[in-house]
Amino acid sequence: MTGTSYSRRSFLRDASAAGLMLGLGASSLAGCGRQPSMAQSTAAPTGAPKPGGTLRIGMVGAGKGESFDPSAASSALINVAMTCAVFDPLITYGPDMRLRPALATSWTSDASGSAWTFELRPGVAWHDGKPFTADDVIYSLQWMETPGSGLGPAVANVDTAKVWKKDPNTVVVPLKSPDTRFPETIALAWIVQAGAKDFTKPIGTGPFTFVSLDQGQQSVCKRNPVYWDTGKPYVDELRLLSLKDDTARLNALLSGQTDVMAQLPYAQAKSSISEDFWLLRSPGLTAQAFYTAIDQEPFTDPRIRQALRLLVDRQQLVDVALNGFGTVANDLYGRALPYYDVALPQRTRDLAKAKDLLAQAGHASGLTLRLQTSAAAPGMVEAATLFQQQAKDAGVTVRISQVDPDAYFDPTRDYLTMPFAQTVWQGITSLGSFYQTALLKGAPGNETHWTSQHTADLINAGVSAPDDASARMAWDAVQQEQYDSGGYIWWGNCDNLDAASKKVGGIVPGVSQNLGLPTSLAEAYFVA
């Protein structure tokens, strides 16, 4: 799921180079190099912004799941982009992951971090001309609590019934427990107009105004001429083209039908981008994992979960599935986030121990599993295929089942029901955002079906810790528990890769998400 502000993870998904690695033998796979040879330029084009024009971005489609509803943005990168175009949060992130003012110009807390005061940007208008006020913020925070909302984790610690306005441009947000890092949690929680429930014709305060949405085809937005960030956006029109097939998306870029391609498949990053294009590459917070639902057989047995972790060759997965555009992970998400536990030993492949654990669990003669995968993000299908080959060495037969990318991360369809599957998370801004989204009972990204109250108490302790030492202690405990017995097999930290015409500037590759989201759409331009 591509945090939150989570917007979580945005669990981001894209079509992959499905089939590129299928059918290759293990020896062929192992022969791929670890360090990409980047023949393409990663330098942004020079030249002053030339106002005007239509920016066309080819993105992995989400079919009927495409929506401008900010509470559903985390289900697909294309939805994240649509939300970023039309809406603003109180606080946002720059490509360097530093907090930036958006609809709030400042934020301060009381001495304990129990209540936060947000000064709102004056003179901001909604796209229908109504003024943006504190009432919109209060409504939005309460709206985020709607059951099933992907923005729920952003307000999990907010006492929403007691949020109040000091004046039309000042909002006081009481918390259920102190949180000195609350601005990080509320960042990228999108503000909607008071009373908004239907987002088929969304009204926001963002850089672009809604024109149309043809699900599975394209969405169109026009430049907001009264946007509060004076002079932006630069382009007159934004078109997000829904292209779930990798080849079609790449061909659209190469033929000039689009100007930008989101989520460039790793294999094509080396070979398909000519000097007419530039590569947007950023090591970041994107990571891929296999996961097991711990309440489903045979994964209820922690020995099975541990055995699967020990049979994985993570470096080979990075080398092959990511073509070297990443680093090995260690069964934990969030390597670049504060309080990530770097002291835990790097888990490596140990087939003898994996076989022993499988035998202890009653599977000495073998185990057959069904792994559900999808071309929903670059590298996923390739990783599934390679994992299938690696598992054979431990006597585990993996049968791969591909799910339509449109449905894979759709919470109304297959998502959260698959007992053994893959995931991609990005856009998370803190460990609190990730674990509140992934490990709490009823959380919108609880892929492993984790429901431990002990874990919930630890997460709450981490979120509300009064100081760094207390926070470190709590997050270390959460991570140790997940490292020992969790349902995830985090194998790779992935680079964000996109490609753009050299006629397009202003997009700065970001740590958080592809395309330099959330700020890039307002800053993109055609060079003069």
Side-chain angles (χ1 to χ4, degrees), residues 163-406:
V163 176
W164 60 285
K165 63 177 178 180
K166 195 172 182 180
D167 60 53
N169 288 317
T170 308
V171 176
V172 180
V173 180
L175 304 183
K176 298 173 184 173
S177 58
D179 182 2
T180 59
R181 305 181 77 95
F182 180 65
E184 298 172 4
T185 302
I186 203 67
L188 301 187
W190 306 94
I191 302 301
V192 302
Q193 194 174 45
K197 295 180 181 178
D198 181 358
F199 297 96
T200 55
K201 295 181 180 179
I203 295 172
T205 60
F208 294 93
T209 63
F210 169 81
V211 174
S212 64
L213 168 61
D214 187 359
Q215 292 175 324
Q217 299 297 318
Q218 68 172 350
S219 59
V220 181
C221 297
K222 293 286 188 182
R223 181 178 186 272
N224 177 4
V226 295
Y227 191 49
W228 53 264
D229 196 355
T230 306
K232 298 178 183 175
Y234 296 105
V235 300
D236 288 337
E237 183 175 277
L238 175 68
R239 288 179 179 264
L240 303 177
L241 285 80
S242 178
L243 300 167
K244 66 181 181 181
D245 179 77
D246 268 356
T247 301
R249 206 163 71 258
L250 180 62
N251 287 339
L253 176 70
L254 299 180
S255 66
Q257 297 178 51
T258 59
D259 308 294
V260 181
M261 174 183 179
Q263 293 179 286
L264 182 69
Y266 297 107
Q268 295 173 350
K270 286 185 178 179
S271 59
S272 300
I273 303 302
S274 72
E275 61 184 11
D276 294 329
F277 303 89
W278 63 292
L279 188 67
L280 290 75
R281 179 188 183 188
S282 174
L285 292 167
T286 302
Q288 289 201 25
F290 303 100
Y291 67 85
T292 58
I294 65 170
D295 60 350
Q296 302 290 315
E297 297 291 348
F299 309 113
T300 53
D301 190 331
R303 294 170 297 188
I304 299 294
R305 306 199 295 266
Q306 193 68 0
L308 295 179
R309 289 173 161 184
L310 289 168
L311 63 79
V312 173
D313 185 335
R314 292 168 178 76
Q315 187 62 62
Q316 190 183 46
L317 283 165
V318 171
D319 292 346
V320 176
L322 305 183
N323 261 272
F325 288 102
T327 60
V328 295
N330 194 26
D331 292 335
L332 295 172
Y333 177 80
R335 183 189 57 169
L337 294 173
Y339 306 120
Y340 178 83
D341 192 349
V342 296
L344 291 170
Q346 175 63 52
R347 182 161 282 139
T348 57
R349 196 181 202 206
D350 187 337
L351 283 178
K353 191 170 181 179
K355 291 178 179 178
D356 182 55
L357 286 167
L358 290 168
Q360 290 179 37
H363 299 284
S365 59
L367 174 66
T368 298
L369 302 173
R370 175 178 176 240
L371 171 63
Q372 290 175 273
T373 187
S374 173
M380 281 179 59
V381 174
E382 294 89 335
T385 304
L386 183 52
F387 176 80
Q388 181 184 50
Q389 296 167 2
Q390 293 176 350
K392 286 181 181 176
D393 297 338
V396 176
T397 299
V398 175
R399 293 174 178 163
I400 295 176
S401 175
Q402 286 212 42
V403 178
D404 190 318
D406 291 353

